[in-house]
Amino acid sequence: MSAGRRKAGFALCLVTMLLAVLDQNIVSAVTVPIVEDLDPAHGIDRIPWLISAFALASTAVLPLYGKLCDTLGAKRVFLGAVAVFLVGSALCGAAGSMEQLIAFRAVQGIGGGGLMSVTMVVIAQLKQSVEEEKGEKNKGSAVGGLVAGTGMALGPLLGAFLADHADWRWIFYVNLPIGIAVLIGAAITLDLPHHGVRRRIDFLGAALAAAFSTALLLVTEWGGRDYGWGSPVILGLSGGCAVLLALFLWRQATAAEPVLPLSLFRSPVLRIGFAVQGLVGLALIGSIVYVMLYLQVARGIAPTSASLFMLPMALGMAAAGLVTARLGRSPKASVISGALCAGAAMGLLALTETDTGLWVVRAEMLLLGAGFGQLLGQLIVLVQQAAPRRQLGVATTGVRFFQTLGTSLGSALFGTVLARVYATEGPGGSASGIASLRGAERADAVGAFVTSVDVVFAVAAGVMGVALLLAMRLRVPAVASPVTEESPSPALSPFPGAGPGPERGSAA
């Protein structure tokens, strides 16, 4: 590839990353308009499924993408993932009910699972094709941080703008022209190496992982609300979870090319890193979705104005990532301080009342962003440092797997907490009926809703407290040089394309 084509390829990758981050956050700002249009009676109770359908589908296919890149070539898999994502986006825009929208979000998630992970492979291969110029590493890291922060900020803002001035369906239709341009540009521009390394793909292991995740999510969603914890449905699902987990572990122990090798868990750094990343994913979904719900339901703020409250969080994330890279702090120190900042922000949000100053909420979101900005990238660095070179790809994929699994569980867990607390504190019925109430009855319902949201934030703060305790047990591995087949991998940048890539042909 010529220098011009490589630059175009990098630009396409950045656009794809932005598209992925946008779509993960764009729905959070328009949940209320979607509910009012498709299911005003029970829609709020189904919001967790709307969020988790995308994340769960992404989780199910994520372990496959690295091995598919080795077998079919990164370019083909990249084009395929974008195409599936666009089909899902078109279907979501045409959905006629909440059930259809949830199902189509799962289709979109299958493609969305590859938008970020396969883009990492493409960027790594592009960077391996030329010698890095002086200063390129720092520049790439800064660009990656800005892309992540920009996506966090623009997602809710763009979604709310379209909902207010056009229609909520355009949050999905807007993906089509951008995605088509990426498809055409990538097909013409990219010329990536394909070494034809044939490896077995553990489809059975991926299916077992998806089945286990779904059963676990159903237990979290239905338990204590739709069904009693001792009911046959919940007991059956819990037993199914245990059986599916056992089958998945057996498959990973016996498969020739497991999607999540159990040997990774022999490393204390990897075990703790996976656990902390899962907890971060769990807490992150609560901060975005339930801040939006609080602002729109309790404070009566329009979706566009409410989405502006994501700007401080995005600014905090981008600034924390850039400052951490400039200061050269150790990954462990960044993870600890990030967990501390995020936990403190969650604790402050748990004190929110119906008349809390909006600038206080903005300051808390800034602190929250500063915490997550340190956590998300540095955990990847720690895992990549500790992983054997030959398992760098599956280790990196494992980090994202646990994060997306935590996101799926978090949306279901927090939705259940909100519903149960509101059922206890509220005037009766679900929170979906607040919009139809008037006078003192509405004031009581709003107060109960704020109490329920505060409990959600308190639970999230507790989750980050556990993450902090685990982070303090991390032991940063020494990086050997030169790198051998079994030695830890060199540290990579927390953002794709900003540092050394995996070996050619590896499952990144």
Side-chain angles (χ1 to χ4, degrees):
M1 295 177 62
S2 65
R5 290 177 66 186
R6 284 193 297 271
K7 291 179 180 179
F10 280 121
L12 288 170
C13 289
L14 293 178
V15 171
T16 306
M17 290 169 56
L18 181 60
L19 189 63
V21 179
L22 276 173
D23 204 75
Q24 290 173 357
N25 297 282
I26 198 170
V27 175
S28 62
V30 294
T31 51
V32 173
I34 289 175
V35 165
E36 291 176 348
D37 184 22
L38 297 181
D39 190 355
H42 306 97
I44 285 185
D45 296 334
R46 296 180 180 177
I47 286 176
W49 282 105
L50 181 61
I51 305 298
S52 61
F54 183 95
L56 184 59
S58 301
T59 304
V61 299
L62 184 58
L64 295 176
Y65 273 114
K67 293 185 182 297
L68 286 174
C69 287
D70 287 340
T71 303
L72 303 177
K75 178 178 179 178
R76 293 181 181 179
V77 180
F78 177 81
L79 295 176
V82 174
V84 173
F85 175 78
L86 293 180
V87 170
S89 298
L91 291 173
C92 286
S97 66
M98 284 292 288
E99 290 78 7
Q100 290 182 6
L101 182 58
I102 290 170
F104 295 152
R105 279 285 283 173
V107 176
Q108 191 185 35
I110 293 175
L115 289 187
M116 185 67 77
S117 58
V118 180
T119 302
M120 293 179 182
V121 180
V122 174
I123 290 178
Q125 292 190 355
L126 286 173
K127 292 188 73 68
Q128 287 173 353
S129 65
V130 292
E131 292 290 332
E132 291 186 345
E133 298 179 1
K134 184 178 180 179
E136 186 177 352
K137 178 178 178 181
N138 289 334
K139 180 180 179 181
S141 178
V143 170
L146 291 175
V147 168
T150 301
M152 287 286 297
L154 291 182
L157 181 61
L158 178 60
F161 177 83
L162 292 173
D164 286 347
H165 300 284
D167 187 272
W168 64 263
R169 298 179 187 275
W170 280 97
I171 69 173
F172 301 110
Y173 290 146
V174 74
N175 295 330
L176 301 181
I178 301 174
I180 291 173
V182 169
L183 276 177
I184 296 174
I188 296 174
T189 302
L190 296 180
D191 183 14
L192 304 176
H194 178 208
H195 300 283
V197 179
R198 307 296 297 185
R199 295 184 179 180
R200 295 180 182 179
I201 300 175
D202 186 18
F203 289 110
L204 177 58
L208 289 171
F212 163 73
S213 303
T214 302
L216 185 60
L217 186 64
L218 288 173
V219 171
T220 309
E221 172 70 16
W222 289 348
R225 190 180 67 176
D226 298 325
Y227 302 95
W229 289 106
S231 66
V233 173
I234 299 301
L235 292 178
L237 282 172
S238 300
C241 281
V243 172
L244 289 168
L245 178 59
L247 289 174
F248 175 71
L249 295 175
W250 167 80
R251 178 64 183 177
Q252 299 313 288
T254 58
E257 292 287 342
V259 294
L260 189 64
L262 299 183
S263 59
L264 293 175
F265 295 91
R266 297 172 185 168
S267 167
V269 174
L270 295 180
R271 289 199 304 269
I272 296 176
F274 290 156
V276 173
Q277 191 79 349
L279 294 173
V280 169
L282 193 153
L284 181 59
I285 191 67
S287 64
I288 296 175
V289 173
Y290 292 95
V291 167
M292 290 289 100
L293 283 176
Y294 164 78
L295 293 171
Q296 295 179 56
V297 175
R299 305 301 291 266
I301 298 176
T304 300
S305 300
S307 66
L308 295 176
F309 284 75
M310 293 295 103
L311 290 175
M313 181 175 179
L315 178 62
M317 290 183 68
L322 294 176
V323 170
T324 299
R326 296 291 183 183
L327 294 179
R329 299 174 61 194
S330 70
K332 178 181 177 179
S334 296
V335 171
I336 291 175
S337 62
L340 186 61
C341 288
M346 289 290 187
L348 293 172
L349 284 169
L351 302 176
T352 302
E353 299 179 356
T354 54
D355 58 350
T356 297
L358 296 181
W359 281 106
V360 174
V361 177
R362 292 186 180 96
E364 292 165 350
M365 295 302 289
L366 178 66
L367 179 62
L368 188 65
F372 283 129
Q374 297 175 75
L375 283 166
L376 295 178
Q378 296 302 313
L379 281 167
I380 295 177
V381 173
L382 279 171
V383 168
Q384 290 172 332
Q385 285 180 343
R389 182 73 172 185
R390 61 184 177 82
Q391 292 183 320
L392 178 62
V394 290
T396 305
T397 302
V399 174
R400 297 200 62 235
F401 175 79
F402 280 96
Q403 180 183 342
T404 52
L405 181 59
T407 300
S408 301
L409 294 176
S411 76
L413 172 64
F414 292 141
T416 301
V417 170
L418 179 70
R420 294 178 65 182
V421 175
Y422 184 81
T424 302
E425 301 288 338
S430 71
S432 301
I434 293 179
S436 62
L437 300 178
R438 295 293 182 271
E441 190 176 12
R442 175 179 174 81
D444 292 340
V446 169
F449 181 80
V450 172
T451 299
S452 304
V453 173
D454 286 347
V455 173
V456 168
F457 288 132
V459 173
V463 169
M464 292 311 304
V466 175
L468 175 61
L469 293 177
L470 290 175
M472 295 176 67
R473 294 176 57 85
L474 282 168
R475 295 293 182 268
V476 180
V479 180
S481 180
V483 177
T484 63
E485 182 69 12
E486 296 297 330
S487 66
S489 302
L492 302 189
S493 167
F495 300 106
E503 293 179 301
R504 288 178 180 266
S506 67

